[in-house]
Amino acid sequence: MAKPADTRTAGRKSAPKATRSAAETEKIRAALAARRDELRAEYDRTLSEITELQRDRLTDSAGDDQADTGTKTFEREQEISLANSILERITQVERALERLDEGGYGWCERCGNPIPVERLAAFPSATLCVTCKQLAERR
Ligand SMILES: [Zn+2]
């Protein structure tokens, strides 16, 4: 029984760096696609919430003084920036999927090791493995 650590050195002379199996790549793709769908649903939900809240604010603005109007404008800006940040995350995931197709996604920029699938699913924009990330943060 070979331990996972042994397989790296076992008879693979010509491999310059670690490789990822097609199955693993598919797993990443599925995780990213699921993440993108989640984010799109979240974005749609946020947009319809914004529309609804805006409607409420407009129909409910009869007795507003300036402070009320200011609060409402602030709220609306908050909602829009939330929507924009979701959109940003969708773009990140889509870019990640493109890079995955090109074979340039999911490798640690510092040590060249594959970044675990779970980490990529949680943070599609991750460019460092957990170990290197922790080292970078400590400095
Ligand atoms: Zn690393």
Side-chain angles (χ1 to χ4, degrees), residues 29-124:
R29 193 193 310 281
L32 286 174
R35 189 90 188 107
R36 185 191 51 197
D37 293 348
E38 257 173 51
L39 286 168
R40 276 186 183 156
E42 200 183 329
Y43 183 67
D44 287 346
R45 212 160 45 230
T46 305
L47 278 192
S48 56
E49 265 171 34
I50 291 175
T51 313
E52 212 164 291
L53 286 167
Q54 184 62 6
R55 201 188 303 132
D56 289 352
R57 276 191 289 257
L58 288 174
T59 53
D60 187 33
S61 62
D64 277 8
D65 59 22
Q66 245 178 348
D68 287 336
T69 310
T71 307
K72 286 178 179 181
T73 307
F74 177 72
E75 281 172 3
R76 181 166 165 76
E77 277 165 8
Q78 293 285 94
E79 286 148 16
I80 288 169
S81 86
L82 172 67
N84 283 340
S85 81
I86 297 169
L87 207 55
E88 177 105 346
R89 277 147 69 201
I90 294 173
T91 311
Q92 272 181 8
V93 176
E94 280 173 347
R95 265 194 226 130
L97 278 164
E98 280 170 27
R99 276 188 290 144
L100 183 67
D101 285 335
E102 292 159 4
Y105 178 72
W107 308 96
C108 177
E109 279 181 356
R110 189 169 298 210
C111 68
N113 284 328
I115 301 172
V117 179
E118 297 73 27
R119 175 163 168 76
L120 292 172
F123 306 102

